[in-house]
Amino acid sequence: MRASSEISMAGTDGTTQKNPTARQGDADRTTRTDHTNETGETDETGDTDDMDDMDDTPVMYVQSSVAGAAKILVVGPMGVGKTTLIGTVSEIKPLSTEATMSQAGARLDTKVRPSKTTTTVALDFGRITLGGELVLYLFGTPGQQRFLPAWKDLARGALGALALVDTRDLEASFDAIGHLEDLDVPFSVAVNAFPDSKPHSEDDLRSALDLLPHTPLVICDAREHQSSVKALISLVSHLIETLTEAS
């Protein structure tokens, strides 16, 4: 897929930056192992940000062939798989702000499955290059309602968003999708397929989520690289089509 050179990453101050980290050369791809629990989120035994580990991590600069970049949000309720998806596709060591869930937080947050022991408290960050021409900077938002102010700050300058949903609890995704609509951020929806998820038709899912006809809806597995990349490509194609129609 060829990227549109008109797509650029908007900074938090409203300015646009084209290929802000581009350098000559391309170092070896970072290799890592992700540990996920049954909820699809990275658990506390997974890869964490440790200064010693970062010193040993090869640096991978943006390819010189890149013509554009975009800031993309990955949103959804707590436990839907945002951290896992970003870690799965990122070509650099992802930044994760996972913290152990506390009893105090449990009294405020939506109940999740007992196997989930950590949660994102600030953001997740990763980077992926599509087709050698377009860089996506992925920002994962916290899933808890109490972090909405930080959520809105992360949305500044975002070109679009990938909304992850879990069919076992579709209602939990309503707030995230509603926030995107309120902020006028174009988005596509990716249904994260969990092992115990029941199958649903696309029409039923669109009706339950109250999606507009033009909003892309795909099924993905946040643990699988190819599946997650396809979900992002669906979003980018939608954004390019939307920009083309507006021009």
Side-chain angles (χ1 to χ4, degrees):
M1 180 186 70
R2 296 187 60 82
S4 170
S5 60
E6 295 179 358
I7 295 183
S8 59
M9 178 179 176
T12 56
D13 57 356
T15 61
T16 41
Q17 309 169 9
K18 180 171 289 187
N19 196 10
T21 57
R23 301 186 187 183
Q24 294 295 324
D26 187 6
D28 292 336
R29 184 184 182 93
T30 300
T31 302
R32 68 187 183 284
T33 300
D34 293 319
H35 300 271
T36 56
N37 56 32
E38 64 180 8
T39 64
E41 290 282 273
T42 303
D43 62 25
E44 60 184 355
T45 65
D47 201 5
T48 58
D49 287 310
D50 183 88
M51 292 304 297
D52 294 335
D53 292 340
M54 292 178 68
D55 291 341
D56 298 332
T57 302
V59 176
M60 181 176 179
Y61 297 116
V62 174
Q63 301 174 25
S64 59
S65 61
V66 168
K71 177 180 180 181
I72 299 295
L73 298 180
V74 180
V75 308
M78 185 167 58
V80 77
K82 303 181 296 295
T83 300
T84 298
L85 185 140
I86 291 176
T88 297
V89 302
S90 183
E91 62 197 10
I92 60 173
K93 182 178 178 66
L95 168 67
S96 178
T97 57
E98 288 278 288
T100 302
M101 297 175 66
S102 64
Q103 290 297 325
R107 290 195 296 266
L108 299 173
D109 300 329
T110 303
K111 292 183 178 180
V112 296
R113 287 159 180 78
S115 57
K116 182 170 175 58
T117 58
T118 63
T119 185
T120 298
V121 295
L123 80 159
D124 296 310
F125 176 77
R127 190 192 78 200
I128 179 174
T129 304
L130 298 180
E133 298 179 352
L134 176 64
V135 165
L136 301 184
Y137 294 95
L138 306 176
F139 289 77
T141 63
Q144 303 93 317
Q145 189 68 14
R146 57 192 168 99
F147 288 123
L148 182 57
W151 202 100
K152 290 182 176 178
D153 286 338
L154 287 175
R156 293 178 183 175
L159 191 67
L162 182 68
L164 283 177
V165 302
D166 180 355
T167 58
R168 300 172 300 179
D169 188 6
L170 283 178
E171 187 175 352
S173 302
F174 292 171
D175 284 341
I177 293 176
H179 295 330
L180 292 175
E181 293 174 340
D182 291 341
L183 295 170
D184 198 26
V185 177
F187 66 93
S188 66
V189 174
V191 177
N192 191 11
F194 289 83
D196 58 342
S197 298
K198 295 181 180 179
H200 298 276
S201 68
E202 180 176 339
D203 289 341
D204 288 343
L205 289 172
R206 286 186 173 278
S207 177
L209 294 169
D210 195 24
L211 299 180
L212 294 175
H214 66 271
T215 302
L217 175 66
V218 298
I219 308 296
C220 79
D221 186 335
R223 301 167 300 178
E224 296 184 0
H225 182 269
Q226 185 176 5
S227 178
S228 298
V229 170
K230 285 183 177 180
L232 290 170
I233 290 176
S234 176
L235 168 63
V236 171
S237 298
H238 174 59
L239 296 176
I240 293 175
E241 182 178 347
T242 300
L243 289 174
T244 301
E245 292 176 351
S247 62

